[in-house]
Amino acid sequence: MPSTRLPALAAGAVTLLAFCAAAPAARADTGCDRALAAAERAERSYDAMKADLLRGVADGGHPDISQEQALRRAEAERDATASAAQRACRP
């Protein structure tokens, strides 16, 4: 279930966050701050959901279809909001 795009997206998100944090006064609010906040929320949600699922598996459980689908939806939301933030924060 791990995505091969995860390391690239994570690196891009970290770079994007560093760029936006480094020069907040140099840019007008064009939606970048809102897009970054949404991307951070989506990433935290995905990470928490994945950790819960992995914790359940480590305890001997098996994820059901709805849990796997929810994780895939959270992953898609994380990817979409990271992409939107990259577009919104592009100089």
Side-chain angles (χ1 to χ4, degrees):
M1 187 175 337
S3 174
T4 57
R5 297 183 308 162
L6 181 60
L9 281 172
V14 168
T15 303
L16 182 63
L17 290 173
F19 171 75
C20 289
R27 61 177 163 75
D29 182 21
T30 58
C32 179
D33 294 332
R34 288 187 302 275
L36 284 174
E40 289 171 1
R41 281 191 307 273
E43 186 166 359
R44 281 193 306 269
S45 175
Y46 170 78
D47 290 343
M49 191 177 296
K50 185 175 179 181
D52 287 344
L53 191 70
L54 292 175
R55 192 175 12 253
V57 170
D59 291 340
H62 299 284
D64 62 19
I65 299 290
S66 65
Q67 291 171 313
E68 291 175 352
Q69 289 173 340
L71 185 63
R72 282 195 296 272
R73 280 192 305 271
E75 181 180 20
E77 180 70 18
R78 182 204 60 197
D79 294 348
T81 56
S83 179
Q86 285 178 333
R87 286 190 306 275
C89 297
R90 190 171 291 147

